[in-house]
Amino acid sequence: MSTHTRQEIPLASMNGYVAGAGGLLAVLAGAWLLHAAVMGTAAGGVGVAGIVLGVAGVFVCMGLYMLQPNETAVLTMFGRYVGTDCGEGLRWAFPLYRKRKLTVRARNLNMATLKVNDKRGNPVELAAAVVWRVRDTAQALFEVDDFERYVTVQAEAALRHLAVQYAYDEGEDLAPGEMTLRGGGTEVGHALSEELTARFEAAGVETLDAKLTHLAYAPEIAQVMLRRQQAQAIISARARIVHGAVTMVEDALKGLAERQIVELDAERKAAMVSNLLVVLCSDRDAQPIINAGTLYN
């Protein structure tokens, strides 16, 4: 992590209403003295004092500024950082201070869809939504050139780096329980948030939340991956069907033997098992054949 030489310095400004009232009184007093000097009802030095007092009142009023809730004013004087005012309402600071307002409210960054490669090298499409806010106003303004563009670029870099660490979906080449982009939504979002926090540190920005908003295979391999998922679903379904069929055949043979309905030798049991499995596992309706002969003919 880089070393920051500029940190936010809290600055307590004056109440703007008190300062404004004082400046206005000074202007009115200066105008009254100047009027008295012009009318000849006062000494000659009173006119000069009135001008000075009026100019001082105007100068004081020039230091007034307004801050909304969760809004700050970064104060500089002749290129030197003085401090950050976090007050609310009408405030006053030295008029020669340059006051740059900066909001510290939470902001949304809705990232555009990116085409990246996952852990397997498959091209996938990713997009994310990031909630962030300025934590240190001095770092945001003086440590990076444009902190908003900095956030956008670093968020894209973090999303690309995240994609290569995880596979899109589960597979035989992954360790059991390994997290994937498709299956670990909460964990992936937490990992993205942590990486964004580390990348935003230089700009004095903190990450409040980060979630994937779009996840899909790239169009050039989407059809192939869809067939792969369909094949996996068919295999899983067939495995459950066969398991159920074997259980049913076992129960049928066991029931025939316990009730002594018919005695079957090994060959007839094999034939019965074969016929039952064909009927139970087939995806088409079976066509029954009636045997009009004896058991063995």
Side-chain angles (χ1 to χ4, degrees), residues 34-72:
L34 184 60
H35 176 72
V38 171
M39 298 301 294
T41 58
V46 174
V48 176
I51 294 175
V52 173
L53 193 60
V55 171
V58 173
F59 182 74
V60 169
C61 291
M62 290 174 58
L64 297 173
Y65 58 95
M66 185 77 69
L67 289 179
Q68 302 295 331
N70 282 329
E71 187 178 35
T72 63

PDB file of all heavy atoms in Angstrom, residues 34-72:
ATOM      1  N   LEU A  34     -20.047  57.743   6.500  1.00  0.00           N
ATOM      2  CA  LEU A  34     -19.722  58.418   5.250  1.00  0.00           C
ATOM      3  C   LEU A  34     -20.784  59.461   4.904  1.00  0.00           C
ATOM      4  O   LEU A  34     -20.462  60.570   4.438  1.00  0.00           O
ATOM      5  CB  LEU A  34     -19.620  57.375   4.123  1.00  0.00           C
ATOM      6  CG  LEU A  34     -19.183  57.911   2.753  1.00  0.00           C
ATOM      7  CD1 LEU A  34     -17.789  58.557   2.847  1.00  0.00           C
ATOM      8  CD2 LEU A  34     -19.155  56.786   1.726  1.00  0.00           C
ATOM      9  N   HIS A  35     -22.032  59.124   5.169  1.00  0.00           N
ATOM     10  CA  HIS A  35     -23.110  60.085   4.926  1.00  0.00           C
ATOM     11  C   HIS A  35     -22.962  61.306   5.838  1.00  0.00           C
ATOM     12  O   HIS A  35     -23.175  62.463   5.410  1.00  0.00           O
ATOM     13  CB  HIS A  35     -24.466  59.413   5.165  1.00  0.00           C
ATOM     14  CG  HIS A  35     -25.635  60.345   5.024  1.00  0.00           C
ATOM     15  ND1 HIS A  35     -26.054  60.822   3.803  1.00  0.00           N
ATOM     16  CD2 HIS A  35     -26.471  60.919   5.967  1.00  0.00           C
ATOM     17  CE1 HIS A  35     -27.093  61.614   3.961  1.00  0.00           C
ATOM     18  NE2 HIS A  35     -27.360  61.694   5.287  1.00  0.00           N
ATOM     19  N   ALA A  36     -22.597  61.063   7.093  1.00  0.00           N
ATOM     20  CA  ALA A  36     -22.411  62.170   8.026  1.00  0.00           C
ATOM     21  C   ALA A  36     -21.253  63.060   7.589  1.00  0.00           C
ATOM     22  O   ALA A  36     -21.322  64.298   7.706  1.00  0.00           O
ATOM     23  CB  ALA A  36     -22.167  61.639   9.438  1.00  0.00           C
ATOM     24  N   ALA A  37     -20.178  62.465   7.080  1.00  0.00           N
ATOM     25  CA  ALA A  37     -19.034  63.265   6.631  1.00  0.00           C
ATOM     26  C   ALA A  37     -19.402  64.087   5.411  1.00  0.00           C
ATOM     27  O   ALA A  37     -18.976  65.244   5.269  1.00  0.00           O
ATOM     28  CB  ALA A  37     -17.860  62.338   6.327  1.00  0.00           C
ATOM     29  N   VAL A  38     -20.194  63.508   4.524  1.00  0.00           N
ATOM     30  CA  VAL A  38     -20.594  64.244   3.323  1.00  0.00           C
ATOM     31  C   VAL A  38     -21.515  65.416   3.676  1.00  0.00           C
ATOM     32  O   VAL A  38     -21.417  66.514   3.116  1.00  0.00           O
ATOM     33  CB  VAL A  38     -21.296  63.286   2.327  1.00  0.00           C
ATOM     34  CG1 VAL A  38     -21.911  64.067   1.171  1.00  0.00           C
ATOM     35  CG2 VAL A  38     -20.312  62.267   1.810  1.00  0.00           C
ATOM     36  N   MET A  39     -22.391  65.195   4.620  1.00  0.00           N
ATOM     37  CA  MET A  39     -23.319  66.242   5.030  1.00  0.00           C
ATOM     38  C   MET A  39     -22.651  67.306   5.896  1.00  0.00           C
ATOM     39  O   MET A  39     -23.247  68.332   6.189  1.00  0.00           O
ATOM     40  CB  MET A  39     -24.499  65.628   5.802  1.00  0.00           C
ATOM     41  CG  MET A  39     -25.324  64.659   4.978  1.00  0.00           C
ATOM     42  SD  MET A  39     -26.042  65.425   3.501  1.00  0.00           S
ATOM     43  CE  MET A  39     -27.188  66.587   4.267  1.00  0.00           C
ATOM     44  N   GLY A  40     -21.406  67.052   6.330  1.00  0.00           N
ATOM     45  CA  GLY A  40     -20.672  68.032   7.105  1.00  0.00           C
ATOM     46  C   GLY A  40     -21.028  68.057   8.566  1.00  0.00           C
ATOM     47  O   GLY A  40     -20.687  69.027   9.266  1.00  0.00           O
ATOM     48  N   THR A  41     -21.701  67.051   9.041  1.00  0.00           N
ATOM     49  CA  THR A  41     -22.098  67.028  10.459  1.00  0.00           C
ATOM     50  C   THR A  41     -21.064  66.317  11.326  1.00  0.00           C
ATOM     51  O   THR A  41     -21.285  66.146  12.534  1.00  0.00           O
ATOM     52  CB  THR A  41     -23.447  66.320  10.616  1.00  0.00           C
ATOM     53  OG1 THR A  41     -23.342  64.986  10.099  1.00  0.00           O
ATOM     54  CG2 THR A  41     -24.534  67.084   9.866  1.00  0.00           C
ATOM     55  N   ALA A  42     -19.978  65.873  10.734  1.00  0.00           N
ATOM     56  CA  ALA A  42     -18.936  65.180  11.502  1.00  0.00           C
ATOM     57  C   ALA A  42     -17.582  65.640  11.020  1.00  0.00           C
ATOM     58  O   ALA A  42     -17.450  66.323   9.997  1.00  0.00           O
ATOM     59  CB  ALA A  42     -19.086  63.660  11.349  1.00  0.00           C
ATOM     60  N   ALA A  43     -16.540  65.268  11.771  1.00  0.00           N
ATOM     61  CA  ALA A  43     -15.177  65.660  11.430  1.00  0.00           C
ATOM     62  C   ALA A  43     -14.742  65.001  10.132  1.00  0.00           C
ATOM     63  O   ALA A  43     -15.323  64.014   9.672  1.00  0.00           O
ATOM     64  CB  ALA A  43     -14.241  65.282  12.576  1.00  0.00           C
ATOM     65  N   GLY A  44     -13.689  65.517   9.532  1.00  0.00           N
ATOM     66  CA  GLY A  44     -13.235  64.991   8.242  1.00  0.00           C
ATOM     67  C   GLY A  44     -12.739  63.565   8.307  1.00  0.00           C
ATOM     68  O   GLY A  44     -12.891  62.791   7.368  1.00  0.00           O
ATOM     69  N   GLY A  45     -12.113  63.162   9.435  1.00  0.00           N
ATOM     70  CA  GLY A  45     -11.606  61.797   9.552  1.00  0.00           C
ATOM     71  C   GLY A  45     -12.690  60.753   9.627  1.00  0.00           C
ATOM     72  O   GLY A  45     -12.449  59.562   9.414  1.00  0.00           O
ATOM     73  N   VAL A  46     -13.903  61.172   9.941  1.00  0.00           N
ATOM     74  CA  VAL A  46     -15.005  60.217  10.052  1.00  0.00           C
ATOM     75  C   VAL A  46     -15.326  59.603   8.695  1.00  0.00           C
ATOM     76  O   VAL A  46     -15.684  58.439   8.587  1.00  0.00           O
ATOM     77  CB  VAL A  46     -16.243  60.915  10.654  1.00  0.00           C
ATOM     78  CG1 VAL A  46     -17.451  59.978  10.633  1.00  0.00           C
ATOM     79  CG2 VAL A  46     -15.951  61.364  12.069  1.00  0.00           C
ATOM     80  N   GLY A  47     -15.199  60.364   7.632  1.00  0.00           N
ATOM     81  CA  GLY A  47     -15.471  59.841   6.289  1.00  0.00           C
ATOM     82  C   GLY A  47     -14.524  58.722   5.923  1.00  0.00           C
ATOM     83  O   GLY A  47     -14.931  57.696   5.349  1.00  0.00           O
ATOM     84  N   VAL A  48     -13.236  58.903   6.234  1.00  0.00           N
ATOM     85  CA  VAL A  48     -12.255  57.856   5.943  1.00  0.00           C
ATOM     86  C   VAL A  48     -12.556  56.608   6.761  1.00  0.00           C
ATOM     87  O   VAL A  48     -12.493  55.474   6.266  1.00  0.00           O
ATOM     88  CB  VAL A  48     -10.833  58.364   6.232  1.00  0.00           C
ATOM     89  CG1 VAL A  48      -9.816  57.252   6.022  1.00  0.00           C
ATOM     90  CG2 VAL A  48     -10.506  59.568   5.371  1.00  0.00           C
ATOM     91  N   ALA A  49     -12.916  56.814   8.023  1.00  0.00           N
ATOM     92  CA  ALA A  49     -13.263  55.673   8.883  1.00  0.00           C
ATOM     93  C   ALA A  49     -14.489  54.955   8.337  1.00  0.00           C
ATOM     94  O   ALA A  49     -14.586  53.722   8.384  1.00  0.00           O
ATOM     95  CB  ALA A  49     -13.507  56.146  10.312  1.00  0.00           C
ATOM     96  N   GLY A  50     -15.453  55.710   7.824  1.00  0.00           N
ATOM     97  CA  GLY A  50     -16.645  55.085   7.258  1.00  0.00           C
ATOM     98  C   GLY A  50     -16.316  54.237   6.034  1.00  0.00           C
ATOM     99  O   GLY A  50     -16.865  53.149   5.858  1.00  0.00           O
ATOM    100  N   ILE A  51     -15.412  54.746   5.180  1.00  0.00           N
ATOM    101  CA  ILE A  51     -15.011  53.970   3.998  1.00  0.00           C
ATOM    102  C   ILE A  51     -14.309  52.681   4.411  1.00  0.00           C
ATOM    103  O   ILE A  51     -14.590  51.602   3.893  1.00  0.00           O
ATOM    104  CB  ILE A  51     -14.113  54.829   3.101  1.00  0.00           C
ATOM    105  CG1 ILE A  51     -14.901  56.003   2.515  1.00  0.00           C
ATOM    106  CG2 ILE A  51     -13.514  53.980   1.979  1.00  0.00           C
ATOM    107  CD1 ILE A  51     -14.058  56.961   1.714  1.00  0.00           C
ATOM    108  N   VAL A  52     -13.386  52.822   5.381  1.00  0.00           N
ATOM    109  CA  VAL A  52     -12.657  51.633   5.848  1.00  0.00           C
ATOM    110  C   VAL A  52     -13.612  50.629   6.468  1.00  0.00           C
ATOM    111  O   VAL A  52     -13.531  49.420   6.229  1.00  0.00           O
ATOM    112  CB  VAL A  52     -11.569  52.050   6.856  1.00  0.00           C
ATOM    113  CG1 VAL A  52     -10.928  50.816   7.486  1.00  0.00           C
ATOM    114  CG2 VAL A  52     -10.523  52.913   6.186  1.00  0.00           C
ATOM    115  N   LEU A  53     -14.560  51.118   7.270  1.00  0.00           N
ATOM    116  CA  LEU A  53     -15.506  50.224   7.930  1.00  0.00           C
ATOM    117  C   LEU A  53     -16.410  49.538   6.902  1.00  0.00           C
ATOM    118  O   LEU A  53     -16.711  48.346   7.022  1.00  0.00           O
ATOM    119  CB  LEU A  53     -16.341  51.010   8.936  1.00  0.00           C
ATOM    120  CG  LEU A  53     -17.168  50.195   9.941  1.00  0.00           C
ATOM    121  CD1 LEU A  53     -16.257  49.310  10.782  1.00  0.00           C
ATOM    122  CD2 LEU A  53     -17.971  51.118  10.846  1.00  0.00           C
ATOM    123  N   GLY A  54     -16.836  50.265   5.894  1.00  0.00           N
ATOM    124  CA  GLY A  54     -17.679  49.668   4.858  1.00  0.00           C
ATOM    125  C   GLY A  54     -16.935  48.620   4.056  1.00  0.00           C
ATOM    126  O   GLY A  54     -17.474  47.540   3.758  1.00  0.00           O
ATOM    127  N   VAL A  55     -15.686  48.915   3.689  1.00  0.00           N
ATOM    128  CA  VAL A  55     -14.885  47.938   2.945  1.00  0.00           C
ATOM    129  C   VAL A  55     -14.642  46.689   3.795  1.00  0.00           C
ATOM    130  O   VAL A  55     -14.706  45.558   3.307  1.00  0.00           O
ATOM    131  CB  VAL A  55     -13.555  48.578   2.490  1.00  0.00           C
ATOM    132  CG1 VAL A  55     -12.628  47.517   1.907  1.00  0.00           C
ATOM    133  CG2 VAL A  55     -13.810  49.673   1.473  1.00  0.00           C
ATOM    134  N   ALA A  56     -14.380  46.896   5.090  1.00  0.00           N
ATOM    135  CA  ALA A  56     -14.163  45.745   5.979  1.00  0.00           C
ATOM    136  C   ALA A  56     -15.424  44.900   6.083  1.00  0.00           C
ATOM    137  O   ALA A  56     -15.358  43.659   6.100  1.00  0.00           O
ATOM    138  CB  ALA A  56     -13.732  46.232   7.355  1.00  0.00           C
ATOM    139  N   GLY A  57     -16.590  45.561   6.138  1.00  0.00           N
ATOM    140  CA  GLY A  57     -17.837  44.797   6.201  1.00  0.00           C
ATOM    141  C   GLY A  57     -18.072  43.977   4.944  1.00  0.00           C
ATOM    142  O   GLY A  57     -18.507  42.822   5.006  1.00  0.00           O
ATOM    143  N   VAL A  58     -17.803  44.564   3.768  1.00  0.00           N
ATOM    144  CA  VAL A  58     -17.943  43.822   2.508  1.00  0.00           C
ATOM    145  C   VAL A  58     -16.953  42.658   2.472  1.00  0.00           C
ATOM    146  O   VAL A  58     -17.281  41.548   2.027  1.00  0.00           O
ATOM    147  CB  VAL A  58     -17.748  44.765   1.307  1.00  0.00           C
ATOM    148  CG1 VAL A  58     -17.709  43.976   0.007  1.00  0.00           C
ATOM    149  CG2 VAL A  58     -18.849  45.813   1.262  1.00  0.00           C
ATOM    150  N   PHE A  59     -15.730  42.915   2.953  1.00  0.00           N
ATOM    151  CA  PHE A  59     -14.709  41.870   2.956  1.00  0.00           C
ATOM    152  C   PHE A  59     -15.144  40.702   3.844  1.00  0.00           C
ATOM    153  O   PHE A  59     -14.953  39.525   3.492  1.00  0.00           O
ATOM    154  CB  PHE A  59     -13.386  42.450   3.452  1.00  0.00           C
ATOM    155  CG  PHE A  59     -12.249  41.476   3.447  1.00  0.00           C
ATOM    156  CD1 PHE A  59     -11.640  41.088   2.270  1.00  0.00           C
ATOM    157  CD2 PHE A  59     -11.785  40.933   4.643  1.00  0.00           C
ATOM    158  CE1 PHE A  59     -10.595  40.181   2.264  1.00  0.00           C
ATOM    159  CE2 PHE A  59     -10.736  40.025   4.650  1.00  0.00           C
ATOM    160  CZ  PHE A  59     -10.137  39.654   3.453  1.00  0.00           C
ATOM    161  N   VAL A  60     -15.761  41.012   4.971  1.00  0.00           N
ATOM    162  CA  VAL A  60     -16.239  39.959   5.870  1.00  0.00           C
ATOM    163  C   VAL A  60     -17.349  39.158   5.199  1.00  0.00           C
ATOM    164  O   VAL A  60     -17.384  37.921   5.277  1.00  0.00           O
ATOM    165  CB  VAL A  60     -16.710  40.565   7.198  1.00  0.00           C
ATOM    166  CG1 VAL A  60     -17.451  39.510   8.029  1.00  0.00           C
ATOM    167  CG2 VAL A  60     -15.538  41.103   7.986  1.00  0.00           C
ATOM    168  N   CYS A  61     -18.255  39.816   4.541  1.00  0.00           N
ATOM    169  CA  CYS A  61     -19.378  39.131   3.890  1.00  0.00           C
ATOM    170  C   CYS A  61     -18.906  38.219   2.760  1.00  0.00           C
ATOM    171  O   CYS A  61     -19.601  37.252   2.407  1.00  0.00           O
ATOM    172  CB  CYS A  61     -20.370  40.147   3.352  1.00  0.00           C
ATOM    173  SG  CYS A  61     -21.274  41.046   4.649  1.00  0.00           S
ATOM    174  N   MET A  62     -17.755  38.521   2.171  1.00  0.00           N
ATOM    175  CA  MET A  62     -17.220  37.673   1.102  1.00  0.00           C
ATOM    176  C   MET A  62     -16.804  36.294   1.622  1.00  0.00           C
ATOM    177  O   MET A  62     -16.632  35.361   0.832  1.00  0.00           O
ATOM    178  CB  MET A  62     -16.009  38.353   0.437  1.00  0.00           C
ATOM    179  CG  MET A  62     -16.368  39.574  -0.383  1.00  0.00           C
ATOM    180  SD  MET A  62     -14.896  40.439  -0.991  1.00  0.00           S
ATOM    181  CE  MET A  62     -14.100  39.132  -1.936  1.00  0.00           C
ATOM    182  N   GLY A  63     -16.658  36.128   2.927  1.00  0.00           N
ATOM    183  CA  GLY A  63     -16.262  34.832   3.492  1.00  0.00           C
ATOM    184  C   GLY A  63     -17.412  33.903   3.787  1.00  0.00           C
ATOM    185  O   GLY A  63     -17.201  32.799   4.304  1.00  0.00           O
ATOM    186  N   LEU A  64     -18.643  34.311   3.467  1.00  0.00           N
ATOM    187  CA  LEU A  64     -19.804  33.471   3.737  1.00  0.00           C
ATOM    188  C   LEU A  64     -19.971  32.408   2.660  1.00  0.00           C
ATOM    189  O   LEU A  64     -19.750  32.659   1.480  1.00  0.00           O
ATOM    190  CB  LEU A  64     -21.070  34.334   3.816  1.00  0.00           C
ATOM    191  CG  LEU A  64     -21.131  35.370   4.945  1.00  0.00           C
ATOM    192  CD1 LEU A  64     -22.357  36.242   4.789  1.00  0.00           C
ATOM    193  CD2 LEU A  64     -21.126  34.676   6.302  1.00  0.00           C
ATOM    194  N   TYR A  65     -20.399  31.224   3.071  1.00  0.00           N
ATOM    195  CA  TYR A  65     -20.725  30.142   2.127  1.00  0.00           C
ATOM    196  C   TYR A  65     -21.693  29.183   2.810  1.00  0.00           C
ATOM    197  O   TYR A  65     -21.794  29.134   4.033  1.00  0.00           O
ATOM    198  CB  TYR A  65     -19.469  29.409   1.652  1.00  0.00           C
ATOM    199  CG  TYR A  65     -18.629  28.799   2.753  1.00  0.00           C
ATOM    200  CD1 TYR A  65     -18.784  27.462   3.129  1.00  0.00           C
ATOM    201  CD2 TYR A  65     -17.669  29.561   3.418  1.00  0.00           C
ATOM    202  CE1 TYR A  65     -18.016  26.906   4.135  1.00  0.00           C
ATOM    203  CE2 TYR A  65     -16.895  29.018   4.419  1.00  0.00           C
ATOM    204  CZ  TYR A  65     -17.074  27.689   4.777  1.00  0.00           C
ATOM    205  OH  TYR A  65     -16.323  27.138   5.784  1.00  0.00           O
ATOM    206  N   MET A  66     -22.398  28.416   1.988  1.00  0.00           N
ATOM    207  CA  MET A  66     -23.443  27.513   2.480  1.00  0.00           C
ATOM    208  C   MET A  66     -23.026  26.063   2.234  1.00  0.00           C
ATOM    209  O   MET A  66     -22.542  25.725   1.158  1.00  0.00           O
ATOM    210  CB  MET A  66     -24.769  27.796   1.773  1.00  0.00           C
ATOM    211  CG  MET A  66     -25.948  26.988   2.294  1.00  0.00           C
ATOM    212  SD  MET A  66     -26.584  27.610   3.852  1.00  0.00           S
ATOM    213  CE  MET A  66     -27.313  29.171   3.305  1.00  0.00           C
ATOM    214  N   LEU A  67     -23.253  25.204   3.250  1.00  0.00           N
ATOM    215  CA  LEU A  67     -22.972  23.776   3.135  1.00  0.00           C
ATOM    216  C   LEU A  67     -24.238  22.980   3.420  1.00  0.00           C
ATOM    217  O   LEU A  67     -24.916  23.226   4.422  1.00  0.00           O
ATOM    218  CB  LEU A  67     -21.865  23.344   4.100  1.00  0.00           C
ATOM    219  CG  LEU A  67     -20.445  23.810   3.786  1.00  0.00           C
ATOM    220  CD1 LEU A  67     -19.473  23.320   4.851  1.00  0.00           C
ATOM    221  CD2 LEU A  67     -20.004  23.338   2.407  1.00  0.00           C
ATOM    222  N   GLN A  68     -24.537  22.032   2.545  1.00  0.00           N
ATOM    223  CA  GLN A  68     -25.660  21.130   2.737  1.00  0.00           C
ATOM    224  C   GLN A  68     -25.222  19.939   3.594  1.00  0.00           C
ATOM    225  O   GLN A  68     -24.029  19.708   3.794  1.00  0.00           O
ATOM    226  CB  GLN A  68     -26.172  20.635   1.378  1.00  0.00           C
ATOM    227  CG  GLN A  68     -26.607  21.740   0.439  1.00  0.00           C
ATOM    228  CD  GLN A  68     -27.809  22.504   0.935  1.00  0.00           C
ATOM    229  OE1 GLN A  68     -28.652  21.945   1.658  1.00  0.00           O
ATOM    230  NE2 GLN A  68     -27.913  23.782   0.579  1.00  0.00           N
ATOM    231  N   PRO A  69     -26.196  19.169   4.139  1.00  0.00           N
ATOM    232  CA  PRO A  69     -25.811  17.954   4.891  1.00  0.00           C
ATOM    233  C   PRO A  69     -24.970  17.008   4.027  1.00  0.00           C
ATOM    234  O   PRO A  69     -25.243  16.834   2.835  1.00  0.00           O
ATOM    235  CB  PRO A  69     -27.166  17.331   5.249  1.00  0.00           C
ATOM    236  CG  PRO A  69     -28.115  18.485   5.271  1.00  0.00           C
ATOM    237  CD  PRO A  69     -27.645  19.421   4.196  1.00  0.00           C
ATOM    238  N   ASN A  70     -23.960  16.392   4.624  1.00  0.00           N
ATOM    239  CA  ASN A  70     -23.017  15.502   3.945  1.00  0.00           C
ATOM    240  C   ASN A  70     -22.291  16.201   2.801  1.00  0.00           C
ATOM    241  O   ASN A  70     -21.959  15.588   1.787  1.00  0.00           O
ATOM    242  CB  ASN A  70     -23.722  14.252   3.415  1.00  0.00           C
ATOM    243  CG  ASN A  70     -23.988  13.240   4.497  1.00  0.00           C
ATOM    244  OD1 ASN A  70     -23.238  13.121   5.460  1.00  0.00           O
ATOM    245  ND2 ASN A  70     -25.083  12.503   4.361  1.00  0.00           N
ATOM    246  N   GLU A  71     -22.036  17.488   2.981  1.00  0.00           N
ATOM    247  CA  GLU A  71     -21.246  18.250   2.017  1.00  0.00           C
ATOM    248  C   GLU A  71     -20.129  18.935   2.775  1.00  0.00           C
ATOM    249  O   GLU A  71     -20.322  19.420   3.896  1.00  0.00           O
ATOM    250  CB  GLU A  71     -22.110  19.270   1.295  1.00  0.00           C
ATOM    251  CG  GLU A  71     -21.391  19.971   0.156  1.00  0.00           C
ATOM    252  CD  GLU A  71     -22.297  20.953  -0.580  1.00  0.00           C
ATOM    253  OE1 GLU A  71     -23.159  21.577   0.096  1.00  0.00           O
ATOM    254  OE2 GLU A  71     -22.163  21.103  -1.798  1.00  0.00           O
ATOM    255  N   THR A  72     -18.937  18.984   2.192  1.00  0.00           N
ATOM    256  CA  THR A  72     -17.777  19.582   2.838  1.00  0.00           C
ATOM    257  C   THR A  72     -17.221  20.701   1.961  1.00  0.00           C
ATOM    258  O   THR A  72     -17.533  20.791   0.765  1.00  0.00           O
ATOM    259  CB  THR A  72     -16.672  18.547   3.094  1.00  0.00           C
ATOM    260  OG1 THR A  72     -16.204  18.038   1.826  1.00  0.00           O
ATOM    261  CG2 THR A  72     -17.187  17.393   3.938  1.00  0.00           C
TER     262      THR A  72
END
